[in-house]
Amino acid sequence: MKIAVLTLFPGMFAGPLDESIIKRARAKGLLELSIHNLRDYAHDRHRTVDDRPFGGGPGMLLKPEPIFEAVEKLARESTRVILLSPIGRAFHQAIARELADAEDLLLISGHYEGFDERVREKLADDELSIGDYVLTNGALPAMVVIDAVMRLVPGVLGDDESAHEESFSHGLLEYPQYTRPAEFCGMKVPEVLLSGNHAEIAKWRAAQARLRTQERRPDLL
Ligand code: 4FV
């Protein structure tokens, strides 16, 4: 998987994508990640990437020219160009699975009050929001998408890290889980999990997943 990110804050990507599973995926060549500074595509003396909105209003907007030039350079026919912004479609596990089958992605992080509309009209194949709240810039949303997508790419998660039996993998929240000790501060692990009866355990887990989803996320049902 080839993922390129266009951002005003390349430095924010150092760290979260240099650890653990994503670090290993990059080392194994399962992820070719490149971070590009939008300012490198602004050629005036002040390397201007933003300007005031026509018609007035608060804040600044990302200008079209640097973004168009960057996409021209960084994207090819197969590249899926994705804007990160609060007005995008809600990012969720099924979209992560969809993107995990893609060849290469170009994630464009928003900043200021957002993008000149012509970026959205002409360049975006998709637009994603990671949640109904407003962040200072689109760097964290880009990292969230990269993390959620890459762990679904075959070979990224080791055997002991499974993407199969987890929340949203079957549209339900995950069932309660326990590990040793079987009793802690008087709190016992449910007997069925100690029974070794896998049919009973599977039945209990399915029932718990439904119950928990009903209680916490009836919208998923
Ligand atoms: C966001 C979100 C988000 C809005 C103003 C960056 C900020 C600034 N992106 N999901 N929620 N972006 O809040 O994706 O442009």
Side-chain angles (χ1 to χ4, degrees):
M1 167 78 84
K2 191 169 168 297
I3 300 181
V5 179
L6 188 59
T7 175
L8 278 173
F9 302 99
M12 285 183 70
F13 291 78
L17 305 177
D18 303 325
E19 294 291 335
S20 176
I21 292 166
I22 302 296
K23 177 184 179 185
R24 211 172 53 218
R26 296 171 74 178
K28 285 200 276 188
L30 293 169
L31 169 60
E32 188 192 324
L33 178 67
S34 59
I35 310 294
H36 306 271
N37 190 332
L38 178 59
R39 225 168 265 292
D40 296 344
Y41 298 90
H43 307 298
D44 63 302
R45 199 150 53 80
H46 303 295
R47 306 213 300 160
T48 308
V49 295
D50 62 318
D51 203 339
R52 292 190 311 286
F54 278 119
M60 302 292 272
L61 286 178
L62 286 171
K63 290 167 60 61
E65 305 96 320
I67 300 177
F68 272 74
E69 186 184 320
V71 172
E72 180 69 27
K73 176 151 175 298
L74 300 171
R76 52 189 183 184
E77 195 46 41
S78 64
T79 304
R80 194 139 170 197
V81 177
I82 300 175
L83 301 187
L84 284 307
S85 93
I87 69 166
R89 61 179 177 139
F91 181 59
H92 54 65
Q93 194 66 5
I95 297 174
R97 255 199 303 280
E98 192 191 305
L99 295 177
D101 298 334
E103 250 175 72
D104 71 78
L105 308 176
L106 171 53
L107 304 180
I108 305 181
S109 296
H111 190 42
Y112 308 114
E113 296 311 306
F115 303 94
D116 177 284
E117 192 60 21
R118 292 163 285 191
V119 168
R120 183 169 285 116
E121 284 162 12
K122 286 280 179 281
L123 297 179
D125 297 312
D126 202 349
E127 186 160 5
L128 296 175
S129 168
I130 64 164
D132 296 343
Y133 39 80
V134 180
L135 300 165
T136 59
N137 71 65
L140 291 171
M143 288 183 247
V144 165
V145 169
I146 292 169
D147 189 287
V149 168
M150 284 313 301
R151 59 188 297 286
L152 298 174
V153 170
V156 168
L157 287 185
D159 304 341
D160 60 344
E161 302 142 335
S162 130
H164 304 304
E165 285 294 313
E166 61 187 1
S167 287
F168 314 111
S169 55
H170 305 296
L172 295 176
L173 299 185
E174 200 165 33
Y175 43 76
Q177 300 218 62
Y178 303 80
T179 186
R180 286 179 295 194
E183 177 161 351
F184 177 68
C185 300
M187 296 178 284
K188 292 196 168 92
V189 170
E191 279 307 317
V192 63
L193 296 178
L194 310 174
S195 69
N197 180 333
H198 296 296
E200 280 307 311
I201 290 169
K203 222 164 69 193
W204 180 86
R205 284 176 166 172
Q208 289 293 318
R210 286 196 70 73
L211 192 61
R212 181 172 266 185
T213 308
Q214 180 56 49
E215 283 163 359
R216 294 164 178 249
R217 294 289 309 277
D219 58 295
L220 291 174
L221 295 174

